[in-house]
Amino acid sequence: MVNAVSVVGLRGILNSAAYVSTKHAVSVITKTAAIEVASHGISVNAIALGAILTAMMQDALDQMNPENPKQAELEFAKNNISKRLGLPEEVAKLVVFLLIEDYINGKILPSMEDSPMLTFHKPSLFESYINY
């Protein structure tokens, strides 16, 4: 399963208690699910991402500054350590790593400073066979 939610599951934002609480719930569900299914060889983790330069993000940047979307991108990423937005292939590499790694379970892994969050589980060998 893959769920995308906001980084506010790790921190709060002003005047957004309802939104923040739903995102925080995903963090707790990730940790709880990891405990509940670990004995079946299933690991559950979440990735807290920075802003990712997807088509949807590019559309938003184009709307923020129609004359200079690149400037909007730089402004949006100015608080990131890397001073840039993440790329979808960078997210894919982290997902692949977690799908290969057997020991990491029940963790919220930040890939950048501010972020949506992806939650997923790696199926057990048994689960792979029954879904075949």
Side-chain angles (χ1 to χ4, degrees):
M1 89 182 90
V2 177
N3 298 311
V5 299
S6 175
V7 72
V8 297
L10 303 176
R11 65 172 177 81
I13 54 175
L14 186 62
N15 300 320
S16 300
Y19 179 75
V20 169
S21 63
T22 62
K23 304 317 173 192
H24 183 72
V26 174
S27 299
V28 176
I29 290 168
T30 297
K31 293 174 184 207
T32 302
I35 294 166
E36 291 176 351
V37 300
S39 64
H40 300 287
I42 301 169
S43 58
V44 182
N45 295 291
I47 303 171
L49 306 170
I52 305 302
L53 191 54
T54 61
M56 187 170 83
M57 174 58 83
Q58 188 60 58
D59 288 345
L61 295 170
D62 292 344
Q63 290 177 27
M64 286 182 218
N65 189 340
E67 281 117 39
N68 191 352
K70 189 64 178 172
Q71 182 60 39
E73 180 180 336
L74 293 172
E75 181 65 24
F76 202 84
K78 73 180 180 184
N79 294 323
N80 289 351
I81 292 169
S82 61
K83 306 295 184 217
R84 67 177 181 83
L85 300 183
L87 302 174
E89 54 269 23
E90 293 168 324
V91 176
K93 288 177 186 177
L94 186 52
V95 170
V96 168
F97 167 76
L98 286 172
L99 289 171
I100 293 168
E101 179 54 52
D102 289 326
Y103 191 67
I104 299 173
N105 195 15
K107 301 298 178 205
I108 312 299
L109 299 170
S111 69
M112 293 185 74
E113 304 81 357
D114 281 332
S115 47
M117 189 184 301
L118 297 175
T119 300
F120 62 91
H121 81 276
K122 178 170 60 176
S124 66
L125 185 57
F126 176 74
E127 208 178 359
S128 297
Y129 282 117
I130 61 174
N131 289 326
Y132 181 75

